[in-house]
């Protein structure tokens, strides 16, 4: 198939591109290189049609969608830090840009996968989080929830198109990590803590470090993304994509110190000092993985420690 990957130069997108190429598909990438980079595409670049451009550009999107059989829409403004610093840009990209891609792909009757996020669930306390659960969000005066809201609009759009017969599916990512994480720490605590550990700087744990996440190795994220994007059984469905092993951020920091052999101490940083006044965190986040397992045959295979070791090996190869 000819697959267009928006955001294909990003952390997850570039791994999706590699896997699609590896399994014999032809690939085009549309990416504005805002958080993605050509370095991520180094192994693929000679074999794909790469276009540097914006998902807000209607004629460019139309031309690229027209030339594809399937569209994987991964382009987005990502990372809590970014969203809180520049909420307007994030909203425009994640609402108007996504609407452009979703509208064009469905109008041209293409198979479409929309990448969404576990941030959708907000601060619900029901664990594990199942795809049909309620979303629990804070006030609109807290910028963080704008990201969840924008992605929810994308999901609603995708599902409304599915209801009218279009071949659309949605995936919600749970804290992916692995090689090609941005070392500046955009969008991932793993990147930030690993950079600090390797520089023997204090690892900044926000709050008391007892908040949890389920870290999902990127090869697993990609596996489920491709199943959801190409398998007919996924049409009209939403899937959590994640590992359901829960880890506190403090424990993550300790494991990163251990794996890297770092001499760094752990330092605690208040949410307010990092993200400004009135920030709200999600205190626990655990996916219900039953639907992806039962309907797509997907089970995450790589544990946190193994994933951290692989990430570290890549990091050392790339930056030393
Ligand atoms: N976090 C942290 N230290 C950092 C970066 C993040 O303690 O240097 C915390 C953050 O406050 C959150 C968790 O790690 O509780 C996961 O943050 P991330 O930005 O990776 O993703 P999120 O799951 O919040 O979208």
């Amino acid at each position: 198939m000819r697959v267009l990957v928006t955001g294909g130069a990003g952390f997850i997108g570039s791994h999706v591109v590699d896997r699609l190429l590896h399994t014999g598909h032809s690939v085009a990438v549309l990416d504005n290189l805002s958080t993605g980079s050509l370095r991520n595409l180094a192994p693929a670049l000679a074999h794909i049609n790469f276009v540097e451009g914006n998902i807000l550009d209607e004629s460019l999107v139309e031309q690229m969608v027209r030339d594809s059989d399937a569209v994987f829409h991964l382009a987005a403004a990502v990372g809590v830090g970014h969203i809180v610093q520049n909420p307007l840009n994030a909203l425009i990209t994640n609402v108007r840009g996504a609407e452009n891609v979703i509208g064009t792909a469905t109008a041209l009757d293409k198979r479409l996968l929309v990448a969404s996020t576990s941030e959708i669930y907000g601060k619900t306390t029901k664990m594990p989080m199942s795809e049909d659960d309620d979303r629990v969000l804070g006030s609109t005066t807290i910028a963080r929830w704008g990201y969840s809201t924008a992605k929810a609009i994308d999901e609603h759009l995708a599902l409304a198109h599915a209801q009218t017969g279009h071949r659309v599916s949605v995936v919600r990512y749970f804290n992916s990590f692995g090689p090609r994480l941005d070392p500046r720490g955009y969008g991932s605590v793993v990147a930030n803590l690993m950079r600090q550990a390797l520089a023997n700087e204090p690892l900044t744990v926000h709050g008391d470090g007892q908040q949890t996440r389920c870290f999902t190795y990127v090869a697993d994220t990609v596996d489920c993304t491709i199943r959801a994007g190409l398998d007919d059984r996924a049409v009209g469905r939403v899937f959590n994509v994640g590992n359901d092993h829960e880890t506190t951020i403090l424990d993550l920091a300790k494991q990163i110190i251990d794996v890297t052999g770092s001499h760094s101490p752990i330092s605690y940083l208040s949410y307010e000092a990092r993200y400004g006044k009135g920030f709200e965190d999600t205190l626990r986040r655990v996916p219900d993985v039953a639907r992806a397992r039962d309907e797509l045959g997907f089970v995450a295979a790589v544990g946190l420690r193994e994933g951290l070791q692989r990430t570290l090996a890549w990091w050392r190869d790339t930056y030393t």
Side-chain angles (χ1 to χ4, degrees), residues 145-186:
W145 304 123
Y147 177 59
S148 179
T149 302
K151 283 296 193 177
I153 291 172
D154 301 349
E155 289 199 16
H156 276 301
L157 269 174
L159 294 170
H161 280 292
Q163 208 177 316
T164 58
H166 291 287
R167 293 169 298 148
V168 184
S169 42
V170 175
V171 286
R172 293 180 185 156
Y173 294 137
F174 282 73
N175 293 83
S176 282
F177 76 103
R180 300 183 188 156
L181 272 178
D182 192 308
R184 292 166 292 183
Y186 289 139

mmCIF file of all heavy atoms in Angstrom, residues 145-186:
data_model
loop_
_atom_site.group_PDB
_atom_site.id
_atom_site.type_symbol
_atom_site.label_atom_id
_atom_site.label_comp_id
_atom_site.label_asym_id
_atom_site.label_seq_id
_atom_site.Cartn_x
_atom_site.Cartn_y
_atom_site.Cartn_z
ATOM 1 N N TRP A 145 -5.538 20.978 29.899
ATOM 2 C CA TRP A 145 -6.734 20.248 29.472
ATOM 3 C C TRP A 145 -7.167 20.610 28.054
ATOM 4 O O TRP A 145 -7.993 19.931 27.451
ATOM 5 C CB TRP A 145 -7.873 20.421 30.484
ATOM 6 C CG TRP A 145 -7.436 19.997 31.864
ATOM 7 C CD1 TRP A 145 -7.446 20.745 32.993
ATOM 8 C CD2 TRP A 145 -6.884 18.718 32.244
ATOM 9 N NE1 TRP A 145 -6.933 20.035 34.054
ATOM 10 C CE2 TRP A 145 -6.577 18.790 33.634
ATOM 11 C CE3 TRP A 145 -6.601 17.533 31.563
ATOM 12 C CZ2 TRP A 145 -6.018 17.720 34.337
ATOM 13 C CZ3 TRP A 145 -6.037 16.473 32.271
ATOM 14 C CH2 TRP A 145 -5.762 16.575 33.631
ATOM 15 N N GLY A 146 -6.590 21.675 27.508
ATOM 16 C CA GLY A 146 -6.870 22.022 26.108
ATOM 17 C C GLY A 146 -6.346 20.956 25.159
ATOM 18 O O GLY A 146 -6.930 20.697 24.101
ATOM 19 N N TYR A 147 -5.256 20.327 25.523
ATOM 20 C CA TYR A 147 -4.681 19.267 24.679
ATOM 21 C C TYR A 147 -5.634 18.071 24.652
ATOM 22 O O TYR A 147 -5.946 17.515 23.598
ATOM 23 C CB TYR A 147 -3.318 18.881 25.244
ATOM 24 C CG TYR A 147 -2.630 17.754 24.524
ATOM 25 C CD1 TYR A 147 -2.337 17.847 23.172
ATOM 26 C CD2 TYR A 147 -2.250 16.598 25.201
ATOM 27 C CE1 TYR A 147 -1.689 16.821 22.508
ATOM 28 C CE2 TYR A 147 -1.597 15.567 24.550
ATOM 29 C CZ TYR A 147 -1.321 15.686 23.207
ATOM 30 O OH TYR A 147 -0.684 14.662 22.560
ATOM 31 N N SER A 148 -6.100 17.698 25.844
ATOM 32 C CA SER A 148 -7.051 16.585 25.945
ATOM 33 C C SER A 148 -8.320 16.888 25.141
ATOM 34 O O SER A 148 -8.846 16.042 24.419
ATOM 35 C CB SER A 148 -7.389 16.375 27.427
ATOM 36 O OG SER A 148 -8.321 15.342 27.585
ATOM 37 N N THR A 149 -8.779 18.131 25.262
ATOM 38 C CA THR A 149 -10.013 18.534 24.577
ATOM 39 C C THR A 149 -9.820 18.526 23.068
ATOM 40 O O THR A 149 -10.680 18.042 22.316
ATOM 41 C CB THR A 149 -10.432 19.933 25.074
ATOM 42 O OG1 THR A 149 -10.592 19.866 26.493
ATOM 43 C CG2 THR A 149 -11.729 20.384 24.429
ATOM 44 N N ALA A 150 -8.678 19.049 22.602
ATOM 45 C CA ALA A 150 -8.426 19.083 21.156
ATOM 46 C C ALA A 150 -8.366 17.659 20.595
ATOM 47 O O ALA A 150 -8.963 17.357 19.551
ATOM 48 C CB ALA A 150 -7.107 19.802 20.877
ATOM 49 N N LYS A 151 -7.679 16.785 21.299
ATOM 50 C CA LYS A 151 -7.578 15.408 20.819
ATOM 51 C C LYS A 151 -8.938 14.712 20.869
ATOM 52 O O LYS A 151 -9.231 13.851 20.038
ATOM 53 C CB LYS A 151 -6.540 14.642 21.643
ATOM 54 C CG LYS A 151 -5.118 14.977 21.247
ATOM 55 C CD LYS A 151 -4.889 14.521 19.814
ATOM 56 C CE LYS A 151 -3.441 14.509 19.408
ATOM 57 N NZ LYS A 151 -3.296 13.978 18.034
ATOM 58 N N ALA A 152 -9.759 15.087 21.841
ATOM 59 C CA ALA A 152 -11.105 14.500 21.913
ATOM 60 C C ALA A 152 -11.943 14.948 20.712
ATOM 61 O O ALA A 152 -12.732 14.166 20.166
ATOM 62 C CB ALA A 152 -11.777 14.898 23.222
ATOM 63 N N ILE A 153 -11.755 16.193 20.286
ATOM 64 C CA ILE A 153 -12.470 16.647 19.085
ATOM 65 C C ILE A 153 -12.033 15.799 17.889
ATOM 66 O O ILE A 153 -12.863 15.360 17.083
ATOM 67 C CB ILE A 153 -12.208 18.146 18.842
ATOM 68 C CG1 ILE A 153 -12.895 18.965 19.926
ATOM 69 C CG2 ILE A 153 -12.696 18.566 17.446
ATOM 70 C CD1 ILE A 153 -12.561 20.437 19.905
ATOM 71 N N ASP A 154 -10.735 15.544 17.785
ATOM 72 C CA ASP A 154 -10.239 14.705 16.677
ATOM 73 C C ASP A 154 -10.894 13.323 16.719
ATOM 74 O O ASP A 154 -11.283 12.767 15.697
ATOM 75 C CB ASP A 154 -8.713 14.511 16.765
ATOM 76 C CG ASP A 154 -7.957 15.817 16.714
ATOM 77 O OD1 ASP A 154 -8.573 16.853 16.414
ATOM 78 O OD2 ASP A 154 -6.736 15.795 16.986
ATOM 79 N N GLU A 155 -10.978 12.765 17.918
ATOM 80 C CA GLU A 155 -11.598 11.430 18.043
ATOM 81 C C GLU A 155 -13.070 11.484 17.642
ATOM 82 O O GLU A 155 -13.563 10.610 16.932
ATOM 83 C CB GLU A 155 -11.478 10.907 19.479
ATOM 84 C CG GLU A 155 -10.070 10.526 19.877
ATOM 85 C CD GLU A 155 -10.047 9.592 21.087
ATOM 86 O OE1 GLU A 155 -11.099 9.003 21.428
ATOM 87 O OE2 GLU A 155 -8.969 9.444 21.700
ATOM 88 N N HIS A 156 -13.769 12.521 18.115
ATOM 89 C CA HIS A 156 -15.188 12.651 17.749
ATOM 90 C C HIS A 156 -15.352 12.765 16.235
ATOM 91 O O HIS A 156 -16.235 12.141 15.643
ATOM 92 C CB HIS A 156 -15.804 13.884 18.419
ATOM 93 C CG HIS A 156 -16.275 13.630 19.824
ATOM 94 N ND1 HIS A 156 -17.222 12.669 20.138
ATOM 95 C CD2 HIS A 156 -15.939 14.220 20.995
ATOM 96 C CE1 HIS A 156 -17.443 12.685 21.449
ATOM 97 N NE2 HIS A 156 -16.671 13.607 21.985
ATOM 98 N N LEU A 157 -14.480 13.559 15.610
ATOM 99 C CA LEU A 157 -14.550 13.713 14.153
ATOM 100 C C LEU A 157 -14.326 12.369 13.473
ATOM 101 O O LEU A 157 -15.074 11.971 12.571
ATOM 102 C CB LEU A 157 -13.436 14.659 13.685
ATOM 103 C CG LEU A 157 -13.763 16.140 13.593
ATOM 104 C CD1 LEU A 157 -12.479 16.907 13.263
ATOM 105 C CD2 LEU A 157 -14.816 16.390 12.531
ATOM 106 N N ALA A 158 -13.291 11.674 13.923
ATOM 107 C CA ALA A 158 -12.953 10.378 13.318
ATOM 108 C C ALA A 158 -14.126 9.411 13.466
ATOM 109 O O ALA A 158 -14.515 8.722 12.511
ATOM 110 C CB ALA A 158 -11.701 9.809 13.983
ATOM 111 N N LEU A 159 -14.697 9.372 14.658
ATOM 112 C CA LEU A 159 -15.784 8.412 14.911
ATOM 113 C C LEU A 159 -17.059 8.797 14.176
ATOM 114 O O LEU A 159 -17.821 7.929 13.727
ATOM 115 C CB LEU A 159 -16.019 8.278 16.416
ATOM 116 C CG LEU A 159 -14.820 7.638 17.151
ATOM 117 C CD1 LEU A 159 -14.984 7.744 18.659
ATOM 118 C CD2 LEU A 159 -14.636 6.175 16.732
ATOM 119 N N ALA A 160 -17.285 10.106 14.018
ATOM 120 C CA ALA A 160 -18.465 10.539 13.250
ATOM 121 C C ALA A 160 -18.320 10.118 11.793
ATOM 122 O O ALA A 160 -19.285 9.662 11.161
ATOM 123 C CB ALA A 160 -18.626 12.062 13.371
ATOM 124 N N HIS A 161 -17.117 10.236 11.261
ATOM 125 C CA HIS A 161 -16.893 9.774 9.884
ATOM 126 C C HIS A 161 -17.044 8.252 9.799
ATOM 127 O O HIS A 161 -17.573 7.731 8.820
ATOM 128 C CB HIS A 161 -15.506 10.196 9.395
ATOM 129 C CG HIS A 161 -15.448 11.626 8.951
ATOM 130 N ND1 HIS A 161 -16.103 12.086 7.838
ATOM 131 C CD2 HIS A 161 -14.824 12.706 9.483
ATOM 132 C CE1 HIS A 161 -15.875 13.387 7.685
ATOM 133 N NE2 HIS A 161 -15.104 13.793 8.685
ATOM 134 N N ALA A 162 -16.577 7.546 10.816
ATOM 135 C CA ALA A 162 -16.708 6.086 10.810
ATOM 136 C C ALA A 162 -18.189 5.701 10.780
ATOM 137 O O ALA A 162 -18.591 4.753 10.105
ATOM 138 C CB ALA A 162 -16.015 5.484 12.029
ATOM 139 N N GLN A 163 -18.984 6.483 11.509
ATOM 140 C CA GLN A 163 -20.427 6.196 11.569
ATOM 141 C C GLN A 163 -21.100 6.364 10.208
ATOM 142 O O GLN A 163 -22.116 5.751 9.937
ATOM 143 C CB GLN A 163 -21.062 7.152 12.581
ATOM 144 C CG GLN A 163 -22.294 6.600 13.239
ATOM 145 C CD GLN A 163 -22.820 7.580 14.275
ATOM 146 O OE1 GLN A 163 -22.050 8.147 15.055
ATOM 147 N NE2 GLN A 163 -24.115 7.810 14.263
ATOM 148 N N THR A 164 -20.504 7.198 9.363
ATOM 149 C CA THR A 164 -21.087 7.358 8.030
ATOM 150 C C THR A 164 -20.393 6.457 7.005
ATOM 151 O O THR A 164 -20.454 6.692 5.800
ATOM 152 C CB THR A 164 -21.041 8.830 7.557
ATOM 153 O OG1 THR A 164 -19.673 9.261 7.570
ATOM 154 C CG2 THR A 164 -21.873 9.734 8.434
ATOM 155 N N GLY A 165 -19.694 5.441 7.504
ATOM 156 C CA GLY A 165 -19.197 4.395 6.609
ATOM 157 C C GLY A 165 -17.740 4.509 6.211
ATOM 158 O O GLY A 165 -17.252 3.710 5.410
ATOM 159 N N HIS A 166 -17.021 5.490 6.768
ATOM 160 C CA HIS A 166 -15.606 5.626 6.395
ATOM 161 C C HIS A 166 -14.726 4.676 7.202
ATOM 162 O O HIS A 166 -15.053 4.317 8.325
ATOM 163 C CB HIS A 166 -15.154 7.073 6.564
ATOM 164 C CG HIS A 166 -15.791 7.982 5.569
ATOM 165 N ND1 HIS A 166 -15.437 7.995 4.238
ATOM 166 C CD2 HIS A 166 -16.814 8.857 5.694
ATOM 167 C CE1 HIS A 166 -16.191 8.852 3.594
ATOM 168 N NE2 HIS A 166 -17.045 9.391 4.447
ATOM 169 N N ARG A 167 -13.612 4.296 6.606
ATOM 170 C CA ARG A 167 -12.702 3.330 7.242
ATOM 171 C C ARG A 167 -11.692 4.074 8.117
ATOM 172 O O ARG A 167 -10.613 4.441 7.659
ATOM 173 C CB ARG A 167 -11.995 2.511 6.161
ATOM 174 C CG ARG A 167 -12.936 1.595 5.375
ATOM 175 C CD ARG A 167 -12.239 1.027 4.157
ATOM 176 N NE ARG A 167 -11.836 2.083 3.249
ATOM 177 C CZ ARG A 167 -10.751 2.037 2.472
ATOM 178 N NH1 ARG A 167 -9.973 0.982 2.499
ATOM 179 N NH2 ARG A 167 -10.442 3.040 1.676
ATOM 180 N N VAL A 168 -12.122 4.329 9.359
ATOM 181 C CA VAL A 168 -11.318 5.130 10.279
ATOM 182 C C VAL A 168 -11.124 4.367 11.579
ATOM 183 O O VAL A 168 -12.049 3.721 12.066
ATOM 184 C CB VAL A 168 -12.059 6.450 10.615
ATOM 185 C CG1 VAL A 168 -11.196 7.332 11.496
ATOM 186 C CG2 VAL A 168 -12.456 7.193 9.348
ATOM 187 N N SER A 169 -9.904 4.453 12.168
ATOM 188 C CA SER A 169 -9.709 3.937 13.521
ATOM 189 C C SER A 169 -8.845 4.902 14.331
ATOM 190 O O SER A 169 -8.165 5.763 13.774
ATOM 191 C CB SER A 169 -9.120 2.527 13.508
ATOM 192 O OG SER A 169 -8.121 2.425 12.550
ATOM 193 N N VAL A 170 -8.911 4.729 15.648
ATOM 194 C CA VAL A 170 -8.244 5.668 16.570
ATOM 195 C C VAL A 170 -7.384 4.874 17.545
ATOM 196 O O VAL A 170 -7.815 3.834 18.060
ATOM 197 C CB VAL A 170 -9.312 6.469 17.369
ATOM 198 C CG1 VAL A 170 -8.650 7.352 18.421
ATOM 199 C CG2 VAL A 170 -10.186 7.312 16.433
ATOM 200 N N VAL A 171 -6.174 5.368 17.807
ATOM 201 C CA VAL A 171 -5.353 4.770 18.868
ATOM 202 C C VAL A 171 -5.019 5.823 19.925
ATOM 203 O O VAL A 171 -4.807 6.988 19.608
ATOM 204 C CB VAL A 171 -4.030 4.168 18.327
ATOM 205 C CG1 VAL A 171 -4.288 2.878 17.589
ATOM 206 C CG2 VAL A 171 -3.263 5.159 17.460
ATOM 207 N N ARG A 172 -4.994 5.389 21.176
ATOM 208 C CA ARG A 172 -4.618 6.270 22.287
ATOM 209 C C ARG A 172 -3.310 5.772 22.880
ATOM 210 O O ARG A 172 -3.263 4.682 23.459
ATOM 211 C CB ARG A 172 -5.692 6.237 23.385
ATOM 212 C CG ARG A 172 -6.994 6.848 22.949
ATOM 213 C CD ARG A 172 -8.022 6.805 24.061
ATOM 214 N NE ARG A 172 -9.297 7.302 23.580
ATOM 215 C CZ ARG A 172 -10.472 6.996 24.101
ATOM 216 N NH1 ARG A 172 -10.537 6.182 25.155
ATOM 217 N NH2 ARG A 172 -11.569 7.497 23.598
ATOM 218 N N TYR A 173 -2.278 6.590 22.756
ATOM 219 C CA TYR A 173 -0.951 6.185 23.223
ATOM 220 C C TYR A 173 -0.772 6.426 24.717
ATOM 221 O O TYR A 173 -1.150 7.473 25.234
ATOM 222 C CB TYR A 173 0.122 6.963 22.471
ATOM 223 C CG TYR A 173 0.199 6.643 21.004
ATOM 224 C CD1 TYR A 173 0.359 7.653 20.064
ATOM 225 C CD2 TYR A 173 0.134 5.331 20.545
ATOM 226 C CE1 TYR A 173 0.456 7.366 18.706
ATOM 227 C CE2 TYR A 173 0.228 5.031 19.191
ATOM 228 C CZ TYR A 173 0.385 6.061 18.281
ATOM 229 O OH TYR A 173 0.479 5.765 16.945
ATOM 230 N N PHE A 174 -0.136 5.458 25.353
ATOM 231 C CA PHE A 174 0.222 5.565 26.775
ATOM 232 C C PHE A 174 1.746 5.657 26.901
ATOM 233 O O PHE A 174 2.457 4.663 26.781
ATOM 234 C CB PHE A 174 -0.294 4.342 27.567
ATOM 235 C CG PHE A 174 -1.759 4.416 27.877
ATOM 236 C CD1 PHE A 174 -2.709 4.232 26.894
ATOM 237 C CD2 PHE A 174 -2.186 4.690 29.169
ATOM 238 C CE1 PHE A 174 -4.063 4.318 27.173
ATOM 239 C CE2 PHE A 174 -3.540 4.779 29.466
ATOM 240 C CZ PHE A 174 -4.474 4.597 28.475
ATOM 241 N N ASN A 175 2.255 6.850 27.131
ATOM 242 C CA ASN A 175 3.662 7.111 27.472
ATOM 243 C C ASN A 175 4.674 6.222 26.749
ATOM 244 O O ASN A 175 5.342 5.383 27.358
ATOM 245 C CB ASN A 175 3.843 7.034 28.996
ATOM 246 C CG ASN A 175 3.105 8.182 29.678
ATOM 247 O OD1 ASN A 175 1.902 8.084 29.918
ATOM 248 N ND2 ASN A 175 3.788 9.255 29.962
ATOM 249 N N SER A 176 4.796 6.449 25.453
ATOM 250 C CA SER A 176 5.805 5.721 24.667
ATOM 251 C C SER A 176 7.198 6.235 24.971
ATOM 252 O O SER A 176 7.383 7.429 25.204
ATOM 253 C CB SER A 176 5.554 5.948 23.180
ATOM 254 O OG SER A 176 4.507 5.164 22.747
ATOM 255 N N PHE A 177 8.153 5.348 24.918
ATOM 256 C CA PHE A 177 9.553 5.771 25.071
ATOM 257 C C PHE A 177 10.431 4.846 24.243
ATOM 258 O O PHE A 177 10.004 3.754 23.854
ATOM 259 C CB PHE A 177 9.984 5.735 26.555
ATOM 260 C CG PHE A 177 10.235 4.341 27.062
ATOM 261 C CD1 PHE A 177 11.537 3.868 27.221
ATOM 262 C CD2 PHE A 177 9.179 3.485 27.334
ATOM 263 C CE1 PHE A 177 11.776 2.567 27.661
ATOM 264 C CE2 PHE A 177 9.413 2.183 27.775
ATOM 265 C CZ PHE A 177 10.713 1.719 27.932
ATOM 266 N N GLY A 178 11.663 5.302 23.992
ATOM 267 C CA GLY A 178 12.596 4.459 23.247
ATOM 268 C C GLY A 178 13.569 5.312 22.459
ATOM 269 O O GLY A 178 13.610 6.534 22.622
ATOM 270 N N PRO A 179 14.366 4.677 21.593
ATOM 271 C CA PRO A 179 15.298 5.413 20.750
ATOM 272 C C PRO A 179 14.573 6.519 19.973
ATOM 273 O O PRO A 179 13.415 6.345 19.577
ATOM 274 C CB PRO A 179 15.821 4.338 19.785
ATOM 275 C CG PRO A 179 15.717 3.070 20.569
ATOM 276 C CD PRO A 179 14.486 3.216 21.411
ATOM 277 N N ARG A 180 15.271 7.635 19.779
ATOM 278 C CA ARG A 180 14.776 8.825 19.068
ATOM 279 C C ARG A 180 13.918 9.739 19.927
ATOM 280 O O ARG A 180 13.376 10.713 19.419
ATOM 281 C CB ARG A 180 14.021 8.479 17.779
ATOM 282 C CG ARG A 180 14.876 7.729 16.787
ATOM 283 C CD ARG A 180 14.111 7.463 15.488
ATOM 284 N NE ARG A 180 14.875 6.576 14.634
ATOM 285 C CZ ARG A 180 14.335 5.804 13.689
ATOM 286 N NH1 ARG A 180 13.035 5.845 13.455
ATOM 287 N NH2 ARG A 180 15.100 5.028 12.959
ATOM 288 N N LEU A 181 13.783 9.434 21.209
ATOM 289 C CA LEU A 181 13.181 10.436 22.086
ATOM 290 C C LEU A 181 14.017 11.693 21.973
ATOM 291 O O LEU A 181 15.245 11.615 21.897
ATOM 292 C CB LEU A 181 13.228 9.967 23.546
ATOM 293 C CG LEU A 181 12.073 9.131 24.036
ATOM 294 C CD1 LEU A 181 12.318 8.732 25.478
ATOM 295 C CD2 LEU A 181 10.751 9.887 23.913
ATOM 296 N N ASP A 182 13.372 12.837 22.002
ATOM 297 C CA ASP A 182 14.110 14.088 21.894
ATOM 298 C C ASP A 182 14.902 14.328 23.180
ATOM 299 O O ASP A 182 14.312 14.387 24.264
ATOM 300 C CB ASP A 182 13.114 15.234 21.654
ATOM 301 C CG ASP A 182 13.834 16.500 21.254
ATOM 302 O OD1 ASP A 182 14.775 16.889 21.977
ATOM 303 O OD2 ASP A 182 13.455 17.092 20.237
ATOM 304 N N PRO A 183 16.227 14.447 23.072
ATOM 305 C CA PRO A 183 17.045 14.584 24.288
ATOM 306 C C PRO A 183 16.724 15.842 25.087
ATOM 307 O O PRO A 183 17.063 15.936 26.260
ATOM 308 C CB PRO A 183 18.479 14.647 23.749
ATOM 309 C CG PRO A 183 18.342 15.037 22.323
ATOM 310 C CD PRO A 183 17.033 14.506 21.849
ATOM 311 N N ARG A 184 16.063 16.818 24.454
ATOM 312 C CA ARG A 184 15.677 18.010 25.214
ATOM 313 C C ARG A 184 14.517 17.704 26.157
ATOM 314 O O ARG A 184 14.123 18.535 26.955
ATOM 315 C CB ARG A 184 15.289 19.144 24.260
ATOM 316 C CG ARG A 184 16.495 19.663 23.478
ATOM 317 C CD ARG A 184 16.080 20.530 22.323
ATOM 318 N NE ARG A 184 15.391 19.763 21.296
ATOM 319 C CZ ARG A 184 14.967 20.261 20.145
ATOM 320 N NH1 ARG A 184 15.143 21.521 19.869
ATOM 321 N NH2 ARG A 184 14.349 19.492 19.259
ATOM 322 N N GLY A 185 13.948 16.477 26.005
ATOM 323 C CA GLY A 185 12.940 16.055 26.964
ATOM 324 C C GLY A 185 11.521 16.394 26.565
ATOM 325 O O GLY A 185 10.597 16.218 27.344
ATOM 326 N N TYR A 186 11.323 16.898 25.307
ATOM 327 C CA TYR A 186 9.965 17.217 24.878
ATOM 328 C C TYR A 186 9.075 16.001 24.973
ATOM 329 O O TYR A 186 9.364 14.971 24.372
ATOM 330 C CB TYR A 186 9.933 17.681 23.416
ATOM 331 C CG TYR A 186 10.531 19.027 23.193
ATOM 332 C CD1 TYR A 186 11.325 19.273 22.083
ATOM 333 C CD2 TYR A 186 10.303 20.065 24.083
ATOM 334 C CE1 TYR A 186 11.884 20.516 21.868
ATOM 335 C CE2 TYR A 186 10.865 21.302 23.873
ATOM 336 C CZ TYR A 186 11.643 21.523 22.771
ATOM 337 O OH TYR A 186 12.198 22.742 22.559
#
